[in-house]
């Protein structure tokens, strides 16, 4: 069993995209592999969850009013 990794970031924390965030198929109304959020855009963590298989924290980050993207730690950085 993989030891769980504790979250590095917290709910409500302001972060920025460290890389371009592309559609992995989670957004059916956006093109596959299309750009969702460009590197440097800012957002706020609205929920912290866990990827059950990999035992890694997953952050739901709200970028703008209607775009919430699931991010891994290496995809975001603190403000």
């Amino acid at each position: 069993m993989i030891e769980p990794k504790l979250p590095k970031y917290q709910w409500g924390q302001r972060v920025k995209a460290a890389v371009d965030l592309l559609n992995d198929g989670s957004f059916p109304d956006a093109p596959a592999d299309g750009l969702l959020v460009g590197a440097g855009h800012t957002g706020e963590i609205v929920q912290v969850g866990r990827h059950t298989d990999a035992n890694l924290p997953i952050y739901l980050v709200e970028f703008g009013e209607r775009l919430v993207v699931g991010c891994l730690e290496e995809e975001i950085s603190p403000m």
Side-chain angles (χ1 to χ4, degrees), residues 2-8 49-50 54-57 59 73-74:
I2 299 172
E3 198 64 33
K5 183 177 179 185
L6 295 176
K8 184 176 178 181
R50 179 159 300 284
N55 231 348
L56 293 173
Y59 302 90
E73 284 183 355
E74 59 268 14

Side-chain angles (χ1 to χ4, degrees), residues 5-69:
K5 183 177 179 185
L6 295 176
K8 184 176 178 181
Y9 306 116
Q10 303 301 316
W11 175 86
Q13 187 173 351
R14 301 281 301 160
V15 294
K16 65 180 176 180
V19 296
D20 288 341
L21 301 174
L22 306 177
N23 184 11
D24 63 359
S26 301
F27 294 84
D29 294 337
D33 294 323
L35 180 68
L36 296 173
V37 177
H41 281 80
T42 61
E44 181 178 329
I45 296 174
V46 295
Q47 187 172 353
V48 180
R50 179 159 300 284
H51 185 283
T52 53
D53 292 337
N55 231 348
L56 293 173
I58 300 290
Y59 302 90
L60 291 182
V61 181
E62 184 175 49
F63 293 98
E65 218 171 282
R66 292 195 174 122
L67 180 60
V68 177
V69 179

